[in-house]
Amino acid sequence: MKDIEYMKMAVELAKKGYGFVSPNPVAGAVIVKNDKIIGQGYHEKYGSLHAERNALASCTEDPAGATMYVTLEPCCHYGKQPPCTEAIIEAKLSRVVVGTRDPNPLVAGKGINILKECGISVTEDVLKDECIGINEIFMHFIQSKTPFVCMKYAMTMDGKIACYTGDSKWVTGDTARNHVHHQRHKYSAIMVGIGTVLADDPLLTSRIENGKDPIRIICDTNLRTPPGSQIAKTAAEISTIIVTCSSDDLKKEELRNAGCRIISQDPGQNQIDLPKLMKTLGEMNIDSILLEGGGTLNWSALESGIVQKVQTYIAPKVFGGQSSKTPVEGQGFPSPPQGVHLKTQNITYLGEDLLIESEVIKDVHRDN
């Protein structure tokens, strides 16, 4: 096996940390000696051992002289755990293969330099794109201090998210819906508008075995969240944030008593200031959001520039209907060049449905 194959193994190990390590990065490590894997590990939970130390702890023989494959540059500073560079040096590894550098200013090449200064051979950028991809959330958050926002929606082949009656159960099949629940586990928070709460009375939980429920964020300008909704009734057990411009202190207190956290923006505004909200949520260490809004909130999110990624689930169905809801509504952009431009990253078949994952190309529409 060559460097690429061992790094692929490290990447798959790293993915096991999704949903459990935020706001830390996911990371995987594989240790090889004499063409044999002698240790492997990943960052399993926020505050626990990093991938490198877990891999060293699992070694079946002395790792001296071995090569470590790690998806992200080893840390060289004290945080919840001591520096991984120290553990690598103490273990007398002879070579470290790194997927990508860590953009954290506390690391940012320093870890690699420390290893080199101690006589350890370092090879960089093996499967770099894949190693960056598994940490797209961390890469964005560590540099911007605002959450990575992924807008998700399911639609038919003719671009409808519901029939003209409003019925939307179900646009996609079981495989696609199960994939969504895994995404809810992966992201720190899920955000919807009040329209979704009133229309569907959703729970917004991750219904998978050993899954983690995301923090629920409700954009509710006029504070219409019903105290009897599933969101309010379960807020004592599942972290829930309601963002509002309302000055109704009695309603706020009622929802606080139910367990909701209220974030108040300037009263009198006719909609939530989403960029301002992202700064607030970033200060709360919320590193990622799965946006499952309706057409109104989706338009506001795209128009305000807070979205980094779009996940489009497409079902082989046609609903028709001039008044049927579409994924993005609002005013819309006036001409094709001014629209939000996307770059396709992945296309995945989920049963009979199709998932297209796209990166938002920032500010293209504002330059035309």
Side-chain angles (χ1 to χ4, degrees):
M1 294 179 77
K2 304 294 185 179
D3 287 355
I4 290 176
E5 282 70 29
Y6 288 125
M7 188 62 76
K8 283 181 179 178
M9 294 180 62
V11 166
E12 292 307 310
L13 283 168
K15 292 177 182 178
K16 293 183 178 183
Y18 280 151
F20 297 116
V21 302
S22 299
N24 280 355
V26 296
V30 174
I31 301 174
V32 178
K33 188 173 184 179
N34 298 324
D35 295 323
K36 184 178 75 172
I37 296 172
I38 63 168
Q40 53 188 309
Y42 66 99
H43 187 24
E44 299 176 5
K45 185 178 179 181
Y46 176 72
S48 68
L49 292 177
H50 292 179
E52 297 92 328
R53 289 183 178 270
N54 274 330
L56 287 167
S58 75
C59 281
T60 55
E61 61 180 87
D62 186 355
T67 296
M68 173 181 284
Y69 295 83
V70 60
T71 55
L72 189 66
E73 176 183 6
C75 66
C76 54
H77 64 287
Y78 282 86
K80 297 285 185 181
Q81 295 291 331
C84 288
T85 49
E86 289 186 359
I88 292 170
I89 293 165
E90 290 170 3
K92 299 180 180 179
L93 296 177
S94 64
R95 180 174 178 241
V96 175
V97 180
V98 177
T100 185
R101 290 198 175 198
D102 187 340
N104 185 341
L106 294 173
V107 187
K110 299 182 186 71
I112 287 171
N113 289 338
I114 287 171
L115 295 178
K116 288 180 177 179
E117 288 168 1
C118 291
I120 297 173
S121 173
V122 178
T123 301
E124 295 187 57
D125 298 339
V126 174
L127 284 188
K128 181 178 180 179
D129 289 345
E130 289 86 342
C131 291
I132 290 175
I134 59 174
N135 268 314
E136 60 185 358
I137 289 171
F138 171 75
M139 298 289 182
H140 172 83
F141 184 67
I142 196 69
Q143 296 176 84
S144 71
K145 306 301 181 186
T146 59
F148 180 94
V149 179
C150 174
M151 187 175 80
K152 164 263 166 187
Y153 54 83
M155 69 178 193
T156 60
M157 292 287 282
D158 59 334
K160 308 298 184 181
I161 62 173
C163 294
Y164 76 91
T165 59
D167 188 358
S168 61
K169 295 189 180 349
W170 296 99
V171 175
T172 54
D174 292 341
T175 303
R177 293 200 300 275
N178 185 59
H179 187 272
V180 170
H181 287 294
H182 281 85
Q183 295 301 294
R184 290 181 179 182
H185 162 79
K186 175 181 176 180
Y187 285 84
S188 294
I190 181 172
M191 186 165 78
V192 301
I194 182 59
T196 298
V197 174
L198 295 176
D200 300 334
D201 192 23
L203 265 175
L204 304 178
T205 53
S206 171
R207 293 185 283 279
I208 59 174
E209 187 176 358
N210 300 318
K212 170 192 66 65
D213 287 329
I215 298 167
R216 303 177 300 190
I217 302 171
I218 315 300
C219 291
D220 184 1
T221 305
N222 299 309
L223 206 58
R224 294 186 291 154
T225 300
S229 63
Q230 291 198 90
I231 291 290
K233 289 192 294 187
T234 58
E237 293 80 42
I238 304 169
S239 183
T240 304
I241 297 170
I242 297 178
V243 190
T244 185
C245 299
S246 171
S247 55
D248 188 338
D249 291 334
L250 288 178
K251 183 69 177 290
K252 289 179 185 178
E253 189 62 25
E254 185 176 21
L255 290 169
R256 285 194 186 100
N257 289 337
C260 299
R261 175 171 180 168
I262 307 296
I263 294 178
S264 296
Q265 292 195 342
D266 296 338
Q269 292 184 158
N270 60 6
Q271 65 179 31
I272 301 299
D273 184 330
L274 292 175
K276 181 179 179 180
L277 175 59
M278 293 304 106
K279 291 180 181 178
T280 301
L281 297 174
E283 291 167 358
M284 295 167 61
N285 239 15
I286 295 175
D287 68 347
S288 56
I289 294 171
L290 184 63
L291 175 61
E292 290 197 30
T296 300
L297 181 57
N298 285 348
W299 160 251
S300 296
L302 287 171
E303 197 275 334
S304 66
I306 68 165
V307 180
Q308 282 73 49
K309 183 175 184 177
V310 177
Q311 288 184 325
T312 305
Y313 296 80
I314 303 175
K317 300 173 183 176
V318 174
F319 286 172
Q322 185 175 358
S323 62
S324 300
K325 295 288 187 180
T326 58
V328 182
E329 297 178 350
Q331 181 180 4
F333 295 105
S335 68
Q338 290 176 294
V340 174
H341 291 236
L342 306 175
K343 178 182 178 181
T344 300
Q345 295 173 310
N346 295 297
I347 299 176
T348 307
Y349 283 96
L350 299 169
E352 294 184 348
D353 304 311
L354 188 67
L355 168 62
I356 302 177
E357 298 179 278
S358 306
E359 173 190 357
V360 174
I361 303 174
K362 289 296 183 181
D363 297 327
V364 170
H365 61 283
R366 292 180 175 84
D367 293 336
N368 290 282

